[in-house]
Amino acid sequence: MMFNRNDNTSTPTLEEIGLFVNNPLWDDFCTYMHQQYHAKLEFAFSKCSWEYGWNIKFKKGSKSLCIVYPRENFFVLMIVIGKKEKDCFEDALPSFCPEIRQIYEETKEGNGQRWLMIPIEDDDKVYADAKTILGFRSY
């Protein structure tokens, strides 16, 4: 079966999503999340007009570490920087690549949170920084 991110009639498998994403960083990311955080996957279909379609929540216990939005040939990580993470994250911000700094600066804060939408394509620095940011969420 071919994955269609807008079809809510059947839950996709991780393999189907991987074929759709068709990016070598996808398998690496899934392996990393399992090995580093023993993350559990939760498939969800969002009817929100902002990010309509299938997504995957990677959770550590009951805490969401990130949400992944599959795209053709890449994926987007949504990582929330909340009140608990903000100070440590902002202290580390100068060490991140320009793309991550720009995403943070352009993301509006609401209720003490910023919902960072980080596209993971083929930039090793953006990917490495995204994994570092996940560390702030795992406390």
Side-chain angles (χ1 to χ4, degrees), residues 68-138:
V68 175
Y69 298 95
R71 300 291 188 265
E72 203 164 349
N73 301 317
F74 72 104
F75 55 103
V76 177
L77 294 179
M78 185 186 75
I79 305 173
V80 177
I81 301 299
K83 293 175 186 175
K84 290 180 182 178
E85 300 89 8
K86 183 178 179 179
D87 290 339
C88 290
F89 178 83
E90 288 183 349
D91 287 345
L93 192 58
S95 69
F96 294 129
C97 67
E99 294 86 351
I100 295 292
R101 291 193 309 265
Q102 181 178 1
I103 289 168
Y104 187 74
E105 290 164 8
E106 292 177 355
T107 302
K108 292 182 180 160
E109 188 170 314
N111 294 327
Q113 299 179 329
R114 292 188 197 210
W115 294 16
L116 307 183
M117 300 296 282
I118 304 170
I120 305 298
E121 298 177 59
D122 58 5
D123 187 324
D124 289 337
K125 185 61 176 150
V126 170
Y127 179 54
D129 283 354
K131 291 194 302 186
T132 300
I133 295 167
L134 284 166
F136 293 104
R137 292 286 305 157
S138 67

Side-chain angles (χ1 to χ4, degrees), residues 3 5-8 20 44-57 67-72 74-79 115-119:
F3 171 68
R5 64 178 284 248
N6 296 321
D7 177 10
N8 68 351
F20 175 75
F45 189 87
S46 172
K47 293 184 179 179
C48 171
S49 61
W50 186 43
E51 280 297 334
Y52 187 85
W54 285 103
N55 63 65
I56 305 169
K57 294 177 184 175
I67 299 175
V68 175
Y69 298 95
R71 300 291 188 265
E72 203 164 349
F74 72 104
F75 55 103
V76 177
L77 294 179
M78 185 186 75
I79 305 173
W115 294 16
L116 307 183
M117 300 296 282
I118 304 170

Side-chain angles (χ1 to χ4, degrees), residues 1-5 10-23 26-27 29-30 41-44 53-58 68-76:
M1 180 172 129
M2 186 69 151
F3 171 68
N4 176 349
R5 64 178 284 248
S10 64
T11 304
T13 66
L14 196 57
E15 182 180 6
E16 290 168 339
I17 291 175
L19 291 170
F20 175 75
V21 168
N22 190 32
N23 184 310
W26 172 252
D27 289 334
F29 178 76
C30 291
L41 305 176
E42 184 178 297
F43 293 83
W54 285 103
N55 63 65
I56 305 169
K57 294 177 184 175
F58 284 80
V68 175
Y69 298 95
R71 300 291 188 265
E72 203 164 349
N73 301 317
F74 72 104
F75 55 103
V76 177

